Amino acid sequence: MDMDDPHNVTARFGAVIIGGTLSEEPPPPDSPLGRVRSFIAEYGSDALRPEHIGAAQEGRPLLP
């Protein structure tokens, strides 16, 4: 992460404030973000709907 870039500094600061972390590694495949990224890889981003995000957060299957 380039700490000379104001956007990266702001993102890092925001993560510290909310108690999160930033990573340049891909998310774990069983995490909500990892599941959404797998869905997009298989079905394309046009198939992604708000219901899929909710399902990923709740641990439900992401159906096309």
Side-chain angles (χ1 to χ4, degrees), residues 11-53:
R12 178 73 57 133
F13 178 73
V16 168
I17 295 300
I18 63 170
T21 57
L22 297 179
S23 174
E24 295 182 19
E25 300 291 322
D30 59 339
S31 71
L33 181 56
R35 295 177 60 227
V36 167
R37 289 181 64 168
S38 294
F39 178 88
I40 291 172
E42 186 171 346
Y43 300 106
S45 60
D46 290 339
L48 186 67
R49 298 186 310 270
E51 302 85 53
H52 292 112
I53 303 300

Side-chain angles (χ1 to χ4, degrees), residues 1-10 12:
M1 179 172 282
D2 179 12
M3 294 309 287
D4 292 327
D5 181 349
H7 295 287
N8 290 339
V9 171
T10 302
R12 178 73 57 133

Side-chain angles (χ1 to χ4, degrees), residues 30 32 35 53-62:
D30 59 339
R35 295 177 60 227
I53 303 300
Q57 291 172 330
E58 296 168 3
R60 295 185 284 121
L62 277 66

